[in-house]
């Protein structure tokens, strides 16, 4: 996999777009099975830093491509789903480009609307456009944080039932700002308190700040629907080992979490490849010499779940009497740990090999995984801890 030329120098946008594309495809195909109308809102749409006129390297082009694909896919399955998309953009020049692009689109089956103005001021109009009932996916991808990610700013949207959110949380900015006096009130509005991170390592700071924000997001409960569930995935600086932002995903469905984390697990590989290529390009530019081996063929390992830790996590959750582990339980574990299902599967497999745990439903079946969480109508399989 080579990163398209138009993403060079902004490889993090490629990673973000890959996640958006992979997840939206899965999401719309699932939601389209039982809802007749699906809405998509890009609250900070751009186009921004686009490398080509067809906008295929922007969230606008990507979302519309996926919507079209899902609409056709669902139609073939006998489901006639109506898709509607709303794009918000403040910058006049970008908005003009957006309007021209939408007007020139050949596929008119998907209705599109564009509004110009400030997201903060337009929140009510956005909610009016959504109406009260249709499933709506909100993509919130700002350049900064002010009047965007504060809990009070997002609350009217978060309270809307039947909605999901993908929020770009500008971690790098917040890391720099959170301890400065100048930004204390802003931080209180975002985190609900002034985060105290003295004495923490960079990794601990990141975990603390992101978890604090996720906790605040979860406190806003919509009028109907299940409890909010939130996970986040870090997007790193392409050539330096540092987090640029977190993509935060909020849903009210356990299944949403498992599907999003599946998309993120695939993204992990994309991100490693992308960064290896960006680093190689940087080295080559510096030395003026092409390297013998392509980084597309070789990727260094990046930080991953510690297998010993994942095993302990399992042992903590299992008991000596059989418990069913289904999609709800998987979502709980993914949410709490921020690991991938692959990490949990591998650890369970090792524990089973060591004779410490057992899947009581595994006997005599051909298995592709150690635990089939989606079995028995998502109620899962019975697992037991064998050791005391
Ligand atoms: C990070 S870019 C969006 C990139 C786009 N989502 C993508 O992935 O291709 C943020 C966009 O939001 C616009 N913008 C900035 N502040 C805004 C605001 N307050 N309300 C609406 N749009 C805003 C910027 O002009 C810019 O086009």
């Amino acid at each position: 996999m080579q990163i398209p030329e138009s993403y060079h120098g902004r490889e993090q946008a490629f990673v973000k777009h890959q996640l958006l594309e992979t997840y939206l495809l899965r999401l719309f195909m699932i939601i389209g099975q039982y809802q007749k109308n699906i809405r998509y809102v890009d609250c900070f749409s751009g186009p921004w830093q686009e490398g080509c006129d067809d906008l295929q390297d922007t969230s606008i082009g990507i979302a519309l491509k996926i919507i079209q694909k899902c609409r056709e896919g669902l139609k073939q399955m006998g489901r006639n789903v109506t898709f509607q998309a709303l794009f918000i953009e403040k910058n006049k020049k970008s908005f003009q480009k957006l309007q021209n692009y939408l007007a020139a689109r050949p596929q008119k089956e998907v209705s599109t609307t564009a509004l110009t103005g400030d997201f903060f001021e337009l929140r009510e109009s956005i909610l009016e456009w959504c109406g009260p009932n249709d499933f709506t996916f909100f993509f919130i991808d700002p350049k900064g944080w002010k009047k965007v990610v504060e809990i009070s700013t997002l609350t009217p949207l978060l309270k809307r039932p039947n909605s999901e959110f993908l929020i770009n949380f500008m971690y790098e900015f917040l890391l720099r700002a959170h301890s400065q006096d100048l930004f204390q009130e802003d931080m209180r509005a975002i985190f609900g308190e002034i985060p105290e991170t003295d004495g923490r390592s960079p990794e601990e700071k990141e975990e603390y700040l992101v978890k604090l924000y996720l906790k605040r997001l979860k406190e806003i409960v919509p009028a109907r629907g299940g409890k909010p569930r939130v996970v986040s995935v870090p997007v790193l600086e392409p050539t330096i080992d540092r987090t640029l932002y977190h993509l935060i995903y909020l849903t009210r469905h356990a299944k949403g979490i498992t599907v999003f984390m599946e998309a993120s697990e695939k993204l992990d590989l994309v991100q490693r490849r992308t960064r290896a290529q960006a680093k190689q390009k940087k080295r080559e530019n510096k030395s003026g010499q092409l390297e013998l081996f392509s980084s597309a063929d070789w990727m260094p390992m990046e930080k991953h779940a510690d297998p010993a830790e994942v095993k302990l996590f399992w042992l903590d959750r299992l008991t000596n009497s059989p418990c069913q582990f289904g999609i709800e339980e998987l979502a709980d574990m993914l949410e709490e740990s921020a690991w991938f299902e692959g990490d949990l599967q591998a650890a369970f497999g090792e524990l089973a090999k060591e004779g410490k745990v057992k899947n009581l439903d595994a006997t005599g079946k051909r298995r592709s995984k150690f635990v089939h969480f989606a079995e028995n109508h998502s109620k899962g399989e019975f697992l037991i801890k064998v050791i005391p």
Side-chain angles (χ1 to χ4, degrees):
M1 176 211 64
Q2 282 293 337
I3 316 162
E5 196 68 38
S6 64
Y7 283 103
H8 283 165
R10 52 173 199 128
E11 286 81 0
Q12 67 275 15
F14 179 65
V15 174
K16 174 178 74 181
H17 288 162
Q18 286 285 305
L19 181 67
L20 184 70
E21 180 165 345
T22 313
Y23 182 64
L24 283 185
L25 184 66
R26 288 286 313 273
L27 173 77
F28 291 157
M29 290 307 288
I30 293 171
I31 301 286
Q33 303 298 326
Y34 62 94
Q35 306 239 346
K36 274 191 70 65
N37 303 305
I38 296 181
R39 291 178 186 255
Y40 173 84
V41 184
D42 193 337
C43 300
F44 294 81
S45 70
W48 192 64
Q49 298 187 336
E50 71 279 13
C52 38
D53 289 340
D54 65 2
L55 303 193
Q56 283 316 295
D57 59 353
T58 69
S59 57
I60 305 163
I62 289 166
L64 287 172
K65 178 181 76 181
I66 295 300
I67 288 174
Q68 191 67 28
K69 198 168 169 180
C70 292
R71 198 184 161 277
E72 280 158 21
L74 287 162
K75 213 169 178 185
Q76 279 171 15
M77 298 162 92
R79 302 272 319 152
N80 204 354
V81 178
T82 308
F83 282 91
Q84 294 174 72
L86 172 65
F87 300 93
I88 309 292
E89 174 56 46
K90 185 177 170 182
N91 180 282
K92 291 271 170 294
K93 242 170 120 178
S94 304
F95 184 70
Q96 192 56 56
K97 267 193 208 164
L98 168 68
Q99 274 194 314
N100 295 346
Y101 175 76
L102 296 179
R105 282 180 68 244
Q107 309 95 341
K108 297 289 179 205
E109 309 91 6
V110 175
S111 110
T112 57
T113 309
L115 289 180
T116 185
D118 189 303
F119 163 73
F120 185 84
E121 306 296 340
L122 286 172
R123 288 170 304 163
E124 223 169 275
S125 312
I126 295 174
L127 286 170
E128 256 170 44
W129 178 88
C130 296
N133 299 319
D134 294 349
F135 173 84
T136 305
F137 182 90
F138 293 92
F139 183 38
I140 301 178
D141 183 25
K143 281 197 298 193
W145 77 75
K146 215 153 166 112
K147 289 194 163 178
V148 184
V149 294
E150 302 91 349
I151 298 299
S152 59
T153 302
L154 292 177
T155 295
L157 302 185
L158 295 173
K159 276 187 172 288
R160 185 184 183 277
N162 210 11
S163 309
E164 284 199 2
F165 300 84
L166 185 62
I167 304 168
N168 187 338
F169 186 64
M170 289 286 164
Y171 176 72
E172 203 200 17
F173 282 149
L174 292 165
L175 176 69
R176 275 190 267 136
H178 82 278
S179 52
Q180 296 181 32
D181 287 346
L182 185 64
F183 297 117
Q184 296 231 322
E185 279 322 300
D186 294 346
M187 294 305 117
R188 205 191 294 281
I190 294 170
F191 294 102
E193 62 192 75
I194 296 168
E196 195 38 79
T197 59
D198 283 354
R200 292 178 199 257
S201 69
E203 289 81 16
E204 287 167 348
K205 271 188 195 169
E206 185 167 344
E207 187 179 347
Y208 172 74
L209 290 172
V210 174
K211 278 195 170 163
L212 186 58
Y213 185 65
L214 297 185
K215 182 168 162 248
R216 294 291 174 237
L217 281 178
K218 280 172 78 159
E219 285 167 1
I220 313 299
V221 180
R224 59 191 151 80
K227 65 171 180 171
R229 289 178 168 277
V230 204
V231 283
S232 86
V233 286
V235 175
L236 308 185
E237 222 278 337
T239 56
I240 306 168
D241 294 334
R242 191 171 65 200
T243 300
L244 270 181
Y245 46 77
H246 273 256
L247 291 171
I248 294 179
Y249 165 68
L250 186 147
T251 178
R252 283 101 192 202
H253 297 282
K255 172 101 177 158
I257 291 289
T258 64
V259 173
F260 181 82
M261 287 309 273
E262 236 177 82
S264 307
E265 193 163 2
K266 285 192 194 128
L267 183 78
D268 194 48
L269 189 68
V270 172
Q271 174 147 243
R272 281 196 277 140
R273 286 211 173 113
T274 305
R275 295 186 71 232
Q277 284 177 42
K279 283 180 181 175
Q280 178 174 7
K281 216 170 175 65
K282 190 176 169 190
R283 285 193 304 270
E284 288 175 348
N285 285 343
K286 210 168 156 199
S287 69
Q289 275 186 12
L290 292 181
E291 293 184 0
L292 203 51
F293 299 105
S294 159
S295 54
D297 307 325
W298 180 83
M299 289 167 298
M301 282 304 289
E302 287 189 358
K303 203 171 59 181
H304 241 279
D306 172 1
E309 238 182 272
V310 192
K311 278 157 72 176
L312 279 177
F313 183 77
W314 263 120
L315 291 175
D316 252 8
R317 296 202 153 227
L318 293 166
T319 63
N320 295 114
S321 41
C323 272
Q324 214 168 2
F325 276 72
I327 292 295
E328 284 283 334
E329 290 71 19
L330 173 61
D332 286 344
M333 290 196 282
L334 298 175
E335 220 184 324
E336 193 182 323
S337 67
W339 294 322
F340 297 127
E341 185 186 338
D343 299 319
L344 294 168
Q345 292 284 357
F348 190 91
E350 272 193 39
L351 286 168
K353 215 160 103 191
E354 291 163 15
K356 292 179 179 161
V357 303
K358 206 169 169 180
N359 181 343
L360 299 178
D361 290 320
T363 42
K365 288 190 208 161
R366 265 170 62 116
R367 321 240 345 136
S368 55
K369 289 176 176 181
F370 295 105
V371 185
H372 286 253
F373 295 97
E375 282 287 282
N376 303 314
H377 305 287
S378 300
K379 292 261 177 265
E381 298 185 318
F382 281 95
L383 312 181
I384 190 167
K385 182 156 76 175
V386 182
I387 52 166

